[in-house]
Amino acid sequence: MRKSSLTDADLCRSIAEMEQGLIDAHLGGQVVKKRIAPAGRGKRGAARTLVATNLGNRWYFMFGFDKNERANIDQSELQALQEIAKDLLRLDDKAIASALATHSIVEICHGDEDDQAP
């Protein structure tokens, strides 16, 4: 995703959309697919993201790609992402704090004005 032009605000906006049920596909194993259009680009040129979620208060962007990079993921990749999702969604507050401290995960949309979508 670092190669894409998505910003934290784009990602935060997509979480707000997903909270409203605007998810492109439920892939099973607590993994959903969400297309995100960076500012100035339409959904047709949007990046595809795969998100681990409990559809409540946990949203982990695990993988993303631009449509021009690849069409989709294969079954083995999906299975691996479903395992990662299971592990991420099992983390308690202490484990999340530790992962944040070691930069294993990065937090966005945590209430800072800079991260919030306009």
Side-chain angles (χ1 to χ4, degrees), residues 8-23:
D8 284 357
D10 295 326
L11 298 175
C12 292
R13 188 173 31 261
S14 74
I15 290 171
E17 291 174 2
M18 289 186 286
E19 288 175 328
Q20 296 172 18
L22 300 173
I23 292 170

Side-chain angles (χ1 to χ4, degrees), residues 76-91:
S76 65
E77 291 170 318
L78 175 58
Q79 289 173 339
L81 288 167
Q82 288 169 334
E83 287 299 315
I84 293 167
K86 188 179 351 175
D87 291 341
L88 286 169
L89 293 167
R90 276 191 240 174
L91 296 176

Side-chain angles (χ1 to χ4, degrees), residues 60 88 91-107:
Y60 295 94
L88 286 169
L91 296 176
D92 61 17
D93 290 344
K94 183 177 178 181
I96 291 170
S98 177
L100 287 167
T102 61
H103 304 287
S104 298
I105 62 174
V106 176
E107 185 175 21

Side-chain angles (χ1 to χ4, degrees), residues 33 48 65-74 77:
K33 181 178 182 179
R48 276 63 174 156
F65 52 94
D66 283 330
K67 185 179 179 181
N68 63 355
E69 289 179 22
R70 61 189 298 171
N72 215 337
I73 61 169
D74 64 32
E77 291 170 318

Side-chain angles (χ1 to χ4, degrees), residues 6-7 9 21 24 28 36 39 49 53 57 60 76 78 87 105 116-117:
L6 291 177
T7 65
D24 294 302
I36 305 172
T49 61
T53 182
N57 63 345
Y60 295 94
S76 65
L78 175 58
D87 291 341
I105 62 174
Q116 299 305 306

